[in-house]
Amino acid sequence: MGTLQLEVVTPDKTVVSTQVEMAVCPGVEGEFGVLPQHVSLLSALKVGALRYRVDGKDQYVFISGGFADVNDNVLSVLAESAEQAADIDAARAEAARERAEKRLAEKSEELDQRRAEAALQRALSRLEVARLG
Amino acid sequence: MPSLKDVKMKIVGVGKTKQITKAMNMVASAKLRGAQSRIERFRPYASKYHDVLAELSRKVEGSAHPLLTEHEEKKSCAIIMVTSDRGLCGSFNGNIISAAMKLAKEKAGAGMQVSFACVGRKGRDAVRASTYETISAYADRMGSIDFALASTVAQEVINGYEAMTYDEVWLVYGEFVSMGHQPPRTLCLLPLATPEAASSEEAAEPAEAGKARCEYLYEPDEEKLLAELLPRYVKVQVYRGLLDTSASEHAARMAAMDNATRNCNEMIGMLTLLYNKTRQASITSELIDIVGGAEALNG
């Protein structure tokens, strides 16, 4: 079985650029796996963990939403922010989780509520990725 | 003729100024390197974005999204102006501000209400001094620009555009062309130009790749994807404006400080000449005094 090229890029840097055996992306309509020679695909991604396999070992990257573009055996993931499991600051994510939970517990405007929910989602995914990695 | 001491002090003063300009030059060149590498790192993201969007907009016909739709009545216009926070970079900020003001005048002439969103202190101050309204201002942020800042600025105008508060949105920033050339650039942000037209500008994508892309799966459907992608594209463009301005600012400052250092050297040379002349003149006059005195004794 061949490999495909995985590129995870954010506005600030290229986070991952490597040959992988497979990748599983958190699509908005459910997770989907990408194997080598996948048909061209463009999908929106939600906040979550991107899993990819190199030499039979699974690795995780946190993605804060974005897009995945598969074309010509290259999977490019465009995300506003992305972090590899080893780079995640677990303490900071934990603090963010607590902050978001506190804000959710307070009765506030709808907009704030939505923001807090999104923040909580991000913090939880980060922690999840840190734990898996 | 100034006294010997005055000239000496002036030379010391100019020497100190020279030290400062030289140091600023070096700081700017170090910062420029950082800013340039950020642009480099941003490039893959931007170009990939471009490709995806160009591909997608080919699939979705017509004005499928409010950000692509041109408003029929044009009553108000928002200008996002990106300048630096600090001066001492030659005419860099002045150029951007005058380009923005020219645009504002044009739009006001066409019967539109013009308002500004400013990033950078210099631009904010200029708008405050003018008669135009300020929507929002982000001062002292050019040193720490990130995507979140671009996102905030862009989201504001996107909301305004969708709510019909603004009928046009422009971006004015200092484009980084080369070390010696940073012209102000005005760009129509909203309504969004179809990325196809924009992609011809950077005709990096060969036609072959276009053919390979015809059989595409979309998830969710094209229109929903476009609705997600377009606001982000606006943010990407604003971010590019921020990065470019930041690099341009440092390049402009380097050039300005280089000039200033050279002028200091020239000035020190001239003052040293004056110093020596003054010294010689005083020696000559003293000699004349002595010789005159001796003559008088002998006579």
Side-chain angles (χ1 to χ4, degrees), chain B residues 66-241:
Chain B
L67 292 184
L68 291 171
T69 328
E70 207 161 316
H71 292 180
E72 278 169 20
E73 255 187 290
K74 297 206 168 179
K75 278 185 295 191
S76 69
C77 167
I79 300 175
I80 303 178
M81 176 161 63
V82 190
T83 57
S84 74
D85 280 326
R86 285 159 217 267
L88 290 179
C89 45
S91 59
F92 175 67
N93 287 315
N95 288 344
I96 296 179
I97 290 166
S98 70
M101 288 300 166
K102 199 177 132 212
L103 179 70
K105 220 171 177 180
E106 211 173 275
K107 295 292 162 198
M112 283 190 241
Q113 178 100 31
V114 181
S115 40
F116 276 91
C118 305
V119 184
R121 185 147 33 138
K122 288 286 161 186
R124 182 198 67 181
D125 293 350
V127 175
R128 270 196 193 158
S130 74
T131 54
Y132 298 110
E133 197 190 329
T134 315
I135 318 164
S136 55
Y138 304 85
D140 296 321
R141 286 300 303 271
M142 287 309 284
S144 60
I145 47 173
D146 52 11
F147 198 75
L149 175 65
S151 193
T152 327
V153 178
Q155 196 57 51
E156 209 167 359
V157 292
I158 292 170
N159 290 344
Y161 192 80
E162 281 177 343
M164 310 297 262
T165 321
Y166 311 128
D167 302 313
E168 262 181 27
V169 179
W170 291 75
L171 176 69
V172 183
Y173 65 98
E175 193 181 13
F176 184 74
V177 179
S178 71
M179 287 298 298
H181 192 43
Q182 304 91 23
R185 168 137 193 232
T186 49
L187 180 83
C188 185
L189 215 53
L190 294 172
L192 263 179
T194 49
E196 267 166 301
S199 70
S200 64
E201 188 186 316
E202 301 172 21
E205 184 84 346
E208 225 173 286
K211 260 184 243 157
R213 281 165 170 261
C214 25
E215 305 238 334
Y216 243 81
L217 286 182
Y218 291 101
E219 187 183 325
D221 58 63
E222 288 97 326
E223 269 164 45
K224 272 191 203 138
L225 263 179
L226 200 62
E228 285 262 339
L229 269 161
L230 287 176
R232 286 186 207 219
Y233 185 64
V234 177
K235 291 173 192 173
V236 165
Q237 284 193 319
V238 173
Y239 191 54
R240 187 204 208 128

Side-chain angles (χ1 to χ4, degrees), chain A residues 12 40 42-44 69 76, chain B residues 41 48 215-217 219 239:
Chain A
D12 288 321
S40 292
L42 182 65
S43 170
D69 174 46
S76 336
Chain B
R41 276 177 290 164
K48 194 76 213 162
E215 305 238 334
Y216 243 81
L217 286 182
E219 187 183 325
Y239 191 54

